[in-house]
Amino acid sequence: MATDDRLTPLAPELLTMIFDEAYIDRPPTSPVNGTFVPFLRQRLFRDIRVNSFKRLEELCGLVETVPPLGAAMRTLEIKVHGDWTTAQEEPQDPSEDALVRLFCALPRLERLECSGSLRIIAPLRSPSVAARSDFLPSIKALSVAGHRDMRIDLFQPSYLAALHHYPLRELTLYDWCMRLDPIYPGGDAPLPPLEPLPRPLPPLFSITYLSASANVGPAGTDQVLRLLPNLVDLKLLGVSHFVGPSRFLDALPRPERLQSLTLEGSFVGGRWVLPERLTSLTAL
């Protein structure tokens, strides 16, 4: 006896909403009609979390084998914290070429979060790769947490040189591994001077939100702020009586555009006063 099919005639937008609601808590436990597999893929692969290099390598292979899975992704969160102590000891798979192919297979990805290894986002820092039209064309938010290797400075301007190629609106930079990891005594020591870049970095006009560690030194958060003329929302972590907000507010190219300012930190054992520079933030 033929079944009463009431779903097939519906518009794709409605089917997407139905599958979103039907499998919001867990995936289906019984076979799904082949007609509805694309909608199920969109639901199950929209938000992906990866917690190891092995899983990341498997994801690279899966997306390359089944391209519609990559097209379904909107958020990719990669957390690969391990017991290695230097970048040289990190697992080298997936390779950088495999990561480039992965990111090129995510045409609708809007948010990328990566912590534990800067090697994974190395392709994003390459101007030649970033200039490709098929490389993360829809990315709106990038979040990067620090690396165990003290020799890699997350706030180096060279790491930001390629970001103007992306339609980014939100940027998050945390370097807590570098500053707090007990493996590296003297983690609070100033970083060595950087080699000068061959040309000024282009402003990152599309970014309106920055959340970052209150980093100081020759490549501190203030260097990042100078590249953000359209910033309207700023969140600084690790502010203290040693690292106050003044130098960061001074770095804002257009302070009158800032509408939201969040300062988080500890002030135990010291005295901290709001700087007079807050008067320049007329849109707060």
Side-chain angles (χ1 to χ4, degrees):
M1 182 176 65
T3 59
D4 185 11
D5 184 0
R6 299 183 181 182
L7 290 178
T8 302
L10 296 178
E13 294 80 5
L14 290 176
L15 287 173
T16 298
M17 295 173 63
I18 290 172
F19 272 81
D20 283 351
E21 291 295 326
Y23 301 118
I24 193 169
D25 294 324
R26 60 176 181 267
T29 56
S30 58
V32 176
N33 187 311
T35 305
F36 306 125
V37 168
F39 300 99
L40 182 61
R41 284 175 174 168
Q42 289 182 33
R43 177 66 187 90
L44 298 182
F45 284 85
R46 179 173 300 167
D47 303 306
I48 297 296
R49 295 181 179 180
V50 177
N51 60 7
S52 69
F53 279 101
K54 180 180 179 181
R55 293 299 187 190
L56 182 59
E57 187 176 9
E58 292 173 353
L59 180 64
C60 290
L62 182 62
V63 169
E64 196 164 5
T65 304
V66 189
L69 300 184
M73 291 187 197
R74 300 294 185 277
T75 300
L76 176 57
E77 180 180 338
I78 305 172
K79 292 185 176 182
V80 292
H81 301 288
D83 57 1
W84 58 87
T85 57
T86 68
Q88 286 71 30
E89 295 176 14
E90 282 188 22
Q92 296 304 300
D93 290 320
S95 65
E96 184 168 334
D97 288 342
L99 291 170
V100 170
R101 292 195 298 272
L102 170 65
F103 294 137
C104 285
L106 309 178
R108 303 172 72 182
L109 191 75
E110 297 179 354
R111 179 177 295 273
L112 175 61
E113 302 180 17
C114 180
S115 63
S117 171
L118 291 182
R119 185 179 71 80
I120 293 174
I121 64 162
L124 279 77
R125 306 196 311 266
S126 168
S128 60
V129 173
R132 294 177 49 165
S133 60
D134 61 343
F135 190 83
L136 296 176
S138 302
I139 192 72
K140 298 293 187 299
L142 174 63
S143 175
V144 184
H147 196 288
R148 289 177 179 269
D149 190 347
M150 285 284 294
R151 291 168 296 175
I152 298 178
D153 178 16
L154 182 59
F155 291 85
Q156 278 198 46
S158 59
Y159 287 142
L160 308 173
L163 293 188
H164 72 282
H165 289 287
Y166 307 112
L168 283 174
R169 297 175 184 170
E170 302 178 10
L171 180 62
T172 300
L173 300 172
Y174 295 149
D175 71 334
W176 56 268
C177 287
M178 285 188 287
R179 292 190 295 115
L180 303 180
D181 198 322
I183 294 174
Y184 293 94
D188 292 327
L191 294 167
L194 298 172
E195 296 181 3
L197 294 175
R199 56 182 175 83
L201 294 180
L204 304 175
F205 290 107
S206 64
I207 295 178
T208 59
Y209 170 84
L210 174 68
S211 179
S213 308
N215 222 33
V216 297
T221 310
D222 51 327
Q223 302 299 322
V224 180
L225 288 169
R226 289 188 172 91
L227 301 176
L228 307 178
N230 293 323
L231 196 67
V232 298
D233 192 345
L234 173 60
K235 181 178 181 180
L236 292 174
L237 280 69
V239 179
S240 69
H241 60 286
F242 294 111
V243 184
S246 297
R247 66 177 297 154
F248 307 113
L249 299 181
D250 285 343
L252 291 171
R254 301 180 67 181
E256 72 279 0
R257 294 184 63 90
L258 197 68
Q259 300 176 14
S260 177
L261 174 63
T262 303
L263 305 175
E264 294 186 6
S266 173
F267 308 101
V268 176
R271 185 172 179 269
W272 186 69
V273 179
L274 287 174
E276 294 181 359
R277 293 160 185 82
L278 288 177
T279 58
S280 65
L281 309 179
T282 55
L284 280 181

